[in-house]
Amino acid sequence: MLTQGYCRGVAGMPVPVFRTFFLWPPHLLLAQCPAGDVTLTTQAQVDAFATTYPGCTHLTGSLIIGPSADIVNLNGLAGITSIQGWLEVKQNDVLTDATGLENLTFIGENIFINYNLVLNSLDLFNVASNSMFNIQVLGNSNLQTLHAPNYVSSLTNGSIGLDISNNPNLSVLTGLGALTTITRDLRLSNIKAMSFPNNLANLTFVGTNILISSNENITTLDLFNVASNNMANIQVTNNPNLQTLHAPNYVPSLTNGSIGLEITNNPKLTDLTGLGALTTITRDLRLSNIKATSFPNNLANLTFVGTNILISNNENITTLDLFNVASNNMFNIRVAGNPNLQTLHAPNFVPSLANGSIGLDISNNPNLNTLTGLGSLVSVHPTFRIENTQVASFPNLENLNAIGEFLFSYNSDVLNLDWLSNLSLIESQLTITNNPVLGYCSILAVCNFLSGAGTRTIGNNTGCCLNEPVLSSDCGLAEFEGQTISSSSSYCFEDAGPIIGLSASMVGLTYQLKSNGGADLGAPVVGTGSPIYFGSYPNGNYQVVATAAPGCTASISGSVNGTPGACTISVPSFCACDAPNGRAPVSIKITAPEGQTWTVKAVIGLYDAGSPPNTLIPLAVGTPMQYLGGNMFGLDALRRTDKGFWVQLTNGSTDKDVMVGNAGW
């Protein structure tokens, strides 16, 4: 603006002088805006702002609105267009909309819109910033419409990143069109919007966490182009209508997080892509309750998972390839409830599963027919569970030597447990049930467990693993295979040869002596837990076959070579004719090789040694002689002092008899 004045010139003549005045725009007259942060906690303060600071458009500090119990509108702030610091609207109990903030075009540092219980709309669409830290819209239970800043390209160096969470009625969400970079977290949860702006496809970098959960109506997420070198967690959970997830494809590792990778409880998720660069997860891999027919590259790129692998209840997945996964401190591996899973290449470089609540659980995958991996496992605690599979050929777990509980049931095609042949210890529980063709399970660890008192359930299998009694007997076959055929070193001249037997037998096993050509010799002998004898047979080669159940047998072979000798009978003390009660004891001895069985074949005039005082009970045919040691057998009896006696004793092939006096007296 120019104004004209005059001053004296030459000879006193007036000379016009022009002065220039600058009228500064009101938004540059900072004196009209308060210095520093502005905090408003009452409606009166909001209403007074426009009159107290007329023409104020630019705040050099931050604008903080709330906590307040009476702010109902923000109309008094309509002139503000830029905030150098941050905007915080918090805990305003009766604020229904944020009209008055719609003219904002710049916010420097942060946006916090938190816990405004009745706020239903917020329009910050035109806000721009080149160096904003955080945007957080949290806990606004009635918020329905959010036009988020559309001209903020990055959120850097903040402690939050982008957090739009727990706004359960938020159904309209727009903006964020320029946002490509978040150096901290992306958190979107518990909102009703049908979609996120552009499905988040503009994002190319997220620093630490992606947490997207409990969004009722979201159908598509596109995070495919997201990269990060130090991301901690990716969690996409409980989104009931999510159908398509393009997961970050340029994140090589998830480290130092509390989750790892979790994509769970998205029951309509049929299209899952991305994760192409991911090789390392230092915490968990959790994939459950989704409908995708495959995971990206079947997860074959993974080489390390730290603590847990939990893959369950995925309706259509057919193949999982975790073969190359290694870990030094893994807790649990669970692959369960995947009804169409056919092929599982389990982690092959995990030496132990410990300190978890599961251990190893491969169960309820009824179409699983190919299982590989697990080759490095040495120990599994608390539980080793394989149930409801069609696997016929299990990987040879030659390094596995100790487990807590062993639960093996409803596996339709497995024939034996030989693939666990080096397992030596099952600690607390044994269950082997309902495996219809499992006929052999008497491996070392199972037999060791059955010899103790631990909880066990064995049944509805087949063959040598039919039930616990059969299995226990079958375990005895292994011990039997370490035995040798025994025989007496000598035999009676009258016998066919030495007595053949075993130095020990097991209850539950039946033993059959066979010729070297395989012909049965004599009747089977039932195990008693003590030595058993088959009888006298010529010197030569023989077999003994032990049977636990039909088809469950083991055999040993050996030769016998005894020397014949005389077997004699004697009555060392045969008479006490002056006995006052008319009876006298008799002791009859036979010298013969140990292992023979001598019994009474016929008898006259001898009575049972245990007869009561006033009665004599005749000695029964079949009464056995007792082995006294030193190749000596003895029979104690009673006789009448007024009569003689006669007795004939036999070992089945040789008879010896003795008569004292006249048995007919």
Side-chain angles (χ1 to χ4, degrees):
M1 178 177 180
L2 297 179
T3 60
Q4 183 175 339
Y6 296 90
C7 64
R8 292 291 177 180
V10 179
M13 293 296 293
V15 178
V17 177
F18 293 92
R19 299 181 179 91
T20 303
F21 295 91
F22 293 95
L23 298 180
W24 295 93
H27 69 278
L28 297 180
L29 298 178
L30 299 182
Q32 293 184 0
C33 289
D37 296 343
V38 175
T39 300
L40 306 173
T41 60
T42 68
Q43 185 65 52
Q45 291 172 335
V46 173
D47 294 342
F49 186 86
T51 57
T52 305
Y53 305 103
C56 175
T57 60
H58 178 77
L59 297 181
T60 58
S62 298
L63 176 59
I64 302 167
I65 303 169
S68 173
D70 76 333
I71 295 178
V72 295
N73 68 72
L74 303 177
N75 295 338
L77 307 176
I80 300 174
T81 60
S82 67
I83 302 172
Q84 195 67 33
W86 68 77
L87 169 65
E88 184 171 6
V89 182
K90 63 180 180 181
Q91 299 175 34
N92 293 280
D93 297 342
V94 292
L95 179 64
T96 58
D97 68 70
T99 300
L101 300 179
E102 71 273 11
N103 293 322
L104 283 169
T105 58
F106 181 88
I107 297 175
E109 297 177 356
N110 299 294
I111 296 174
F112 298 123
I113 313 294
N114 298 338
Y115 303 107
N116 302 284
L117 300 182
V118 295
L119 180 65
N120 58 47
S121 65
L122 177 66
D123 186 354
L124 298 172
F125 189 85
N126 292 316
V127 170
S129 180
N130 293 322
S131 58
M132 191 174 287
F133 300 160
N134 305 293
I135 297 175
Q136 184 178 58
V137 182
L138 173 66
N140 303 285
S141 57
N142 202 46
L143 184 63
Q144 300 175 33
T145 301
L146 172 61
H147 302 299
N150 200 50
Y151 303 100
V152 175
S153 59
S154 64
L155 297 171
T156 58
N157 302 317
S159 61
I160 297 171
L162 175 63
D163 181 6
I164 304 175
S165 301
N166 296 322
N167 305 289
N169 288 297
L170 181 57
S171 56
V172 176
L173 175 59
T174 66
L176 304 174
L179 187 61
T180 62
T181 301
I182 304 171
T183 60
R184 192 57 188 260
D185 295 355
L186 168 64
R187 297 174 180 255
L188 301 167
S189 70
N190 195 17
I191 66 176
K192 277 191 174 180
M194 297 286 292
S195 63
F196 298 132
N198 198 29
N199 298 319
L200 305 176
N202 294 339
L203 281 172
T204 58
F205 186 90
V206 176
T208 51
N209 296 293
I210 295 175
L211 306 172
I212 301 176
S213 63
S214 303
N215 300 292
E216 182 177 338
N217 297 313
I218 198 75
T219 60
T220 303
L221 284 172
D222 188 352
L223 299 167
F224 190 86
N225 293 315
V226 169
S228 180
N229 293 323
N230 296 290
M231 192 172 287
N233 304 294
I234 297 175
Q235 183 181 56
V236 182
T237 63
N238 300 305
N239 303 287
N241 287 293
L242 182 63
Q243 299 174 30
T244 299
L245 170 60
H246 303 302
N249 201 50
Y250 303 100
V251 175
S253 63
L254 297 172
T255 58
N256 303 316
S258 61
I259 298 169
L261 174 63
E262 180 179 7
I263 303 174
T264 61
N265 296 320
N266 305 292
K268 294 184 178 180
L269 180 57
T270 56
D271 185 9
L272 175 59
T273 65
L275 304 174
L278 188 61
T279 62
T280 300
I281 303 172
T282 61
R283 194 58 188 258
D284 294 356
L285 169 63
R286 298 173 178 252
L287 301 168
S288 70
N289 195 19
I290 66 176
K291 277 193 173 180
T293 56
S294 64
F295 297 132
N297 198 29
N298 298 319
L299 305 177
N301 295 339
L302 281 173
T303 58
F304 186 91
V305 177
T307 51
N308 296 291
I309 295 175
L310 305 172
I311 301 177
S312 61
N313 301 314
N314 300 292
E315 183 177 338
N316 297 315
I317 199 76
T318 61
T319 302
L320 285 172
D321 188 353
L322 299 166
F323 189 86
N324 292 315
V325 169
S327 180
N328 294 322
N329 296 290
M330 192 171 287
F331 298 166
N332 305 294
I333 296 175
R334 168 177 277 170
V335 181
N338 304 287
N340 287 293
L341 181 65
Q342 299 175 28
T343 300
L344 170 59
H345 303 299
N348 200 50
F349 303 99
V350 176
S352 65
L353 297 172
N355 303 314
S357 61
I358 298 169
L360 176 67
D361 180 6
I362 301 174
S363 63
N364 296 316
N365 306 292
N367 287 297
L368 180 63
N369 54 50
T370 300
L371 175 62
T372 66
L374 305 175
S376 297
L377 275 179
V378 175
S379 62
V380 177
H381 294 87
T383 302
F384 183 104
R385 179 194 302 268
I386 297 181
E387 296 180 344
N388 194 15
T389 76
Q390 292 184 14
V391 177
S393 178
F394 283 85
N396 184 17
L397 304 188
E398 60 185 1
N399 294 308
L400 185 62
N401 59 49
I403 60 178
E405 301 174 341
F406 182 65
L407 308 178
F408 194 80
S409 301
Y410 296 98
N411 298 290
S412 61
D413 291 7
V414 62
L415 299 175
N416 58 63
L417 298 183
D418 288 349
W419 46 282
L420 293 171
S421 59
N422 291 332
L423 181 66
S424 60
L425 178 62
I426 299 171
E427 296 174 2
S428 59
Q429 182 176 340
L430 173 65
T431 299
I432 306 174
T433 60
N434 299 291
N435 304 286
V437 297
L438 179 62
Y440 177 76
C441 49
S442 55
I443 58 172
L444 176 63
V446 170
C447 293
N448 286 344
F449 189 87
L450 290 178
S451 67
T455 301
R456 76 284 306 273
T457 305
I458 301 163
N460 294 323
N461 307 302
T462 193
C464 307
C465 197
L466 179 66
N467 51 41
E468 183 179 348
V470 169
L471 177 55
S472 295
S473 298
D474 193 50
C475 287
L477 293 178
E479 182 178 338
F480 163 73
E481 289 176 326
Q483 292 183 259
T484 57
I485 297 175
S486 64
S487 66
S488 57
S489 60
S490 62
Y491 58 93
C492 302
F493 282 119
E494 299 90 342
D495 292 342
I499 300 294
I500 298 176
L502 296 172
S503 60
S505 66
M506 176 174 284
V507 174
L509 294 183
T510 300
Y511 302 86
Q512 176 66 59
L513 180 68
K514 290 178 176 286
S515 69
N516 195 45
D520 289 350
L521 299 175
V525 178
V526 176
T528 61
S530 301
I532 58 172
Y533 303 97
F534 300 103
S536 297
Y537 291 91
N539 291 330
N541 297 317
Y542 294 90
Q543 302 176 52
V544 175
V545 176
T547 300
C552 306
T553 63
S555 65
I556 58 174
S557 299
S559 61
V560 300
N561 186 21
T563 301
C567 293
T568 62
I569 187 169
S570 63
V571 185
S573 176
F574 58 84
C575 186
C577 297
D578 57 351
N581 58 0
R583 63 173 74 184
V586 177
S587 181
I588 301 170
K589 302 290 194 295
I590 285 184
T591 302
E594 180 183 1
Q596 296 188 357
T597 299
W598 287 87
T599 62
V600 175
K601 185 175 183 180
V603 61
I604 300 173
L606 285 179
Y607 303 91
D608 193 295
S611 296
N614 298 320
T615 305
L616 287 172
I617 301 173
L619 186 66
V621 171
T623 299
M625 298 187 76
Q626 301 299 312
Y627 183 66
L628 305 177
N631 292 331
M632 181 71 70
F633 295 82
L635 174 67
D636 292 328
L638 295 173
R639 58 162 290 190
R640 288 174 55 175
T641 57
D642 59 347
K643 286 187 177 288
F645 66 86
W646 172 80
V647 63
Q648 185 178 56
L649 301 163
T650 184
N651 67 1
S653 58
T654 295
D655 296 339
K656 295 292 181 179
D657 61 81
V658 62
M659 184 169 67
V660 174
N662 185 345
W665 289 348

